Amino acid sequence: MIDLKGRNFLTLLDYSPDEINYLLNYAQLLKEDKKNGISHNLLSGKNIVLLFEKTSTRTRSAFEVACYDEGGHVTFLSNSQLGKKESVDDTAKVLGRIYDGIEFRGNKQETVNLLADLSGVPVWNGLTDEFHPTQALADIMTIKEHFGDLDNIKIVFIGDTRNNVANSLMIISAKLGLNFTAIGPKELFPDKEILNKVEQIAKETGSNIEVTDNIDKGIKNADVIYTDIWVSMGEEEQIKERIELLKDYQVNNNLFNKTGKDTTIFLHCLPSFHDTKTTFGKMVEETYGLTEMEVTDEIFNSDKSLVFDQAENRLHTIKAVICSTLAEEPNIIFENERIN
Ligand code: CP
Ligand code: NVA
């Protein structure tokens, strides 16, 4: 049986295919149990802190509810001294003395790595500029639930293919032997160093990884079309340039018609600019005349779109990450399952 107790969750590069599958199975059991009103109290007596430099709806909610569901306690810290009056080093040591686990969402991957190195407790990456590993777990869980298995699945990520969500999705695809195509303009191709690592992994697992700016070529046979916002948190000032680069890479009906399959589904990590019901969406409409950006409202709200299943799965996958790394007896869930 896999044992992840005491491990950090910083990037999926650190996890083996078996460990990732274990987390996915773990999440599936937790999801079923939650639907049946069963809690395992796996986090009883545990205190975790959620350290946020950037905004969040899903990740914060999922970490909080995951912890409460299993009997733990949570502190949400978004206005700490971190980086302003106190170094990451000192913050890590302080939080490690008080808490049993630390979640971090912020800018630099180095920050979450340093928290892990110096705190002495499990640290979970809730998004950095480079990676969004808990998101990728929820994405694959959603795909597996929908198709029944992951055999021969082709995922296409279209848009800003160098962003955190694309990186983590590409890594998990390579680890699990799925086929992954990144489609976007050359200026936004994935980082070479990350791509090299992914290509090495893909050689071992038999995954096919492709990066292209050719939409017609890349989109063929896609089982999953995935996109993300054109400007990630902290990049909002680049919106003009990104619209120029990405306007031809919008997910719309025309794109779906090019897959050659009528079973293709749509995924998005959210939040999404598919309408003008946000201040940013309104600003873009007024300034650039666009009412939809990375995906049309029609696709977003169609029966092809599983974005809200995906959002729900953030809870179950994050709960699996916290429990498997922090609970005293994480694998009790599998034993209970056998008894039930
Ligand atoms: N997908 C995601 O991470 O959402 P939040 O930014 O709302 O946490
Ligand atoms: N790429 C996006 C993901 C949001 C969940 C961002 O970093 O803002």
Side-chain angles (χ1 to χ4, degrees):
M1 177 65 79
I2 303 274
D3 181 6
L4 301 181
K5 203 163 160 226
R7 287 273 296 275
N8 300 305
F9 190 74
L10 306 176
T11 162
L12 287 156
L13 289 168
D14 300 338
Y15 276 67
S16 70
D18 284 348
E19 288 169 344
I20 294 171
N21 278 319
Y22 165 90
L23 286 171
L24 291 169
N25 292 337
Y26 205 117
Q28 198 64 50
L29 291 181
L30 288 169
K31 182 172 183 175
E32 284 162 22
D33 286 348
K34 176 151 173 130
K35 305 268 174 214
N36 292 323
I38 300 168
S39 162
H40 304 272
N41 232 17
L42 285 165
L43 301 175
S44 172
K46 303 289 185 193
N47 292 289
I48 73 169
V49 61
L50 313 181
L51 197 51
F52 277 75
E53 285 182 339
K54 290 182 174 177
T55 51
S56 169
T57 296
R58 278 145 292 273
T59 309
R60 175 192 175 173
S61 308
F63 268 94
E64 290 211 14
V65 173
C67 192
Y68 292 137
D69 274 353
E70 288 298 325
H73 304 277
V74 180
T75 304
F76 176 67
L77 262 190
S78 64
N79 55 351
S80 72
Q81 312 281 17
L82 177 71
K84 296 178 283 253
K85 283 187 161 175
E86 194 158 34
S87 64
V88 180
D89 307 43
D90 293 355
T91 306
K93 290 172 192 164
V94 170
L95 294 179
R97 294 290 185 106
I98 298 175
Y99 291 97
D100 302 297
I102 301 170
E103 181 274 358
F104 173 79
R105 165 173 286 201
N107 302 303
K108 295 186 188 150
Q109 183 68 19
E110 292 94 286
T111 307
V112 79
N113 292 345
L114 203 51
L115 287 169
D117 286 346
L118 298 177
S119 66
V121 297
V123 172
W124 310 293
N125 182 354
L127 178 148
T128 59
D129 290 345
E130 212 168 327
F131 300 120
H132 197 3
T134 61
Q135 179 68 53
L137 277 182
D139 302 340
I140 299 297
M141 180 177 183
T142 311
I143 294 168
K144 199 171 169 185
E145 278 180 335
H146 179 77
F147 289 106
D149 58 47
L150 297 173
D151 297 346
N152 296 316
I153 293 291
K154 174 176 172 177
I155 302 176
V156 168
F157 182 98
I158 183 162
D160 178 9
T161 69
R162 44 147 285 285
N163 84 9
N164 40 18
V165 169
N167 283 341
S168 290
L169 194 60
M170 179 165 73
I171 293 166
I172 204 167
S173 299
K175 289 265 180 178
L176 298 182
L178 279 76
N179 302 318
F180 178 89
T181 300
I183 308 178
K186 287 196 171 68
E187 292 87 339
L188 298 173
F189 273 2
D191 175 78
K192 285 246 158 57
E193 203 179 314
I194 296 174
L195 190 58
N196 285 342
K197 285 184 190 163
V198 165
E199 281 168 348
Q200 276 308 112
I201 298 164
K203 268 188 204 151
E204 289 162 27
T205 62
S207 159
N208 184 43
I209 303 291
E210 193 188 359
V211 179
T212 178
D213 61 355
N214 184 326
I215 298 174
D216 289 349
K217 180 169 158 272
I219 204 71
K220 277 213 176 73
N221 291 321
D223 296 294
V224 179
I225 298 180
Y226 197 124
T227 191
D228 187 7
I229 47 176
W230 289 346
V231 280
S232 286
M233 288 179 272
E235 298 178 340
E236 288 78 2
E237 286 183 0
Q238 297 177 46
I239 185 65
K240 183 170 188 279
E241 176 192 321
R242 289 292 169 80
I243 289 173
E244 280 305 309
L245 285 171
L246 289 167
K247 61 182 183 324
D248 295 336
Y249 295 86
Q250 183 190 61
V251 177
N252 51 33
N253 260 327
N254 185 33
L255 185 78
F256 260 83
N257 289 338
K258 291 180 178 187
T259 66
K261 290 189 170 182
D262 55 13
T263 50
T264 311
I265 59 166
F266 173 68
L267 294 182
H268 191 308
C269 56
L270 307 184
S272 161
F273 294 118
H274 58 95
D275 58 28
T276 54
K277 295 178 187 168
T278 59
T279 47
F280 194 79
K282 278 197 181 66
M283 181 281 287
V284 168
E285 181 185 21
E286 279 159 20
T287 318
Y288 305 103
L290 288 183
T291 55
E292 307 160 315
M293 283 189 262
E294 74 276 6
V295 56
T296 58
D297 202 44
E298 188 181 12
I299 291 290
F300 186 90
N301 286 310
S302 71
D303 56 7
K304 300 171 176 35
S305 172
L306 300 187
V307 296
F308 297 110
D309 294 322
Q310 200 184 349
E312 181 197 325
N313 284 338
R314 298 296 308 289
L315 168 62
H316 310 299
T317 43
I318 281 174
K319 196 188 282 180
V321 170
I322 305 175
C323 290
S324 62
T325 54
L326 191 56
E328 295 303 325
E329 292 187 77
N331 287 333
I332 212 162
I333 178 153
F334 294 101
E335 286 160 27
N336 282 357
E337 189 62 23
R338 278 198 291 273
I339 293 161
N340 292 337

